[in-house]
Amino acid sequence: MTWVLDLTGIFVFAISGALAGVRTRLDVVGMAVLAFFTAVGGGILRDVFLGVQPAALHDAGYVLVPLVAAAIVFFWHPQVTRLLPSILIFDAAGLGLFCATGTEKALLFGLSPLHAVLLGVVTAVGGGVLRDMLSGQRPTLLYDRQLYAVPAFLGAFTLAALFEFGVRGPLAVLAAAVLAFTLRFLAMRKGWRAPLARGVKDSA
């Protein structure tokens, strides 16, 4: 079940990467590259930090799913764009899932709670950072005005806290993922934004 959820999150993140390729007028190769690294980049970074072989290098699904997403966007990007509000909901779900599973994996490898939380956030937002850098955009992580990294951090923190109190396994992952998803969803619906430095005016 976790594998299916993982691939679902990868598919949604890959869609966002491919759409970024459309917006920046990349060709089909560029779209596929953005789709792949947006979808699995965070997991690859996490596994590299943990010193293990990334799952994307030994599971064909982690490669094929982003390519399928890129193909869908290549042929039907106007229709996909119209579905964007729904896709953002799945994107929020993927964010919650990845921050929780990334933190859990780091904890199981013996990392401290603090470092595990950091890797959980990397898992959730790393692909988006790579997407923005590859497409020549300022990484959204550096101006998290729409509360993207913040829900990921709180979800990862929750998973680490539950782990410390002996609550582990699918229940802990689900609780942390639901928390991160809920915060991200509410931020989108209510327009919650992270504050700027004191005295700096919001130009948005």
Side-chain angles (χ1 to χ4, degrees), residues 22-154:
V22 173
R23 289 193 297 270
T24 51
R25 301 181 62 82
L26 298 183
D27 61 20
V28 64
V29 176
M31 288 175 59
V33 169
L34 280 189
F36 176 78
F37 281 106
T38 303
V40 302
I44 289 176
L45 289 173
R46 176 203 62 213
D47 290 344
V48 167
F49 285 133
L50 290 176
V52 299
Q53 185 184 54
L57 300 183
H58 61 78
D59 189 324
Y62 287 76
V63 177
L64 295 178
V65 169
L67 293 180
V68 170
I72 291 173
V73 173
F74 180 80
F75 288 106
W76 297 290
H77 62 88
Q79 293 85 346
V80 173
T81 301
R82 285 197 292 270
L83 293 173
L84 194 56
S86 298
I87 290 175
L88 287 175
I89 293 176
F90 284 104
D91 181 82
L95 177 81
L97 176 67
F98 286 173
C99 76
T101 57
T103 304
E104 181 188 45
K105 185 170 185 177
L107 288 169
L108 292 175
F109 268 79
L111 269 67
S112 70
L114 173 61
H115 293 98
V117 167
L118 292 177
L119 278 192
V121 175
V122 166
T123 306
V125 306
V129 172
L130 292 175
R131 174 200 63 213
D132 294 339
M133 293 177 63
L134 290 172
S135 60
Q137 307 297 313
R138 180 174 59 168
T140 55
L141 183 64
L142 301 183
Y143 61 106
D144 190 30
R145 301 303 316 287
Q146 296 183 348
L147 298 188
Y148 199 77
V150 171
F153 172 81
L154 292 176

Side-chain angles (χ1 to χ4, degrees), residues 2-14 65 90 94 97-98:
T2 301
W3 182 77
V4 174
L5 292 174
D6 209 22
L7 291 184
T8 301
I10 285 173
F11 177 78
V12 176
F13 281 175
V65 169
F90 284 104
L97 176 67
F98 286 173

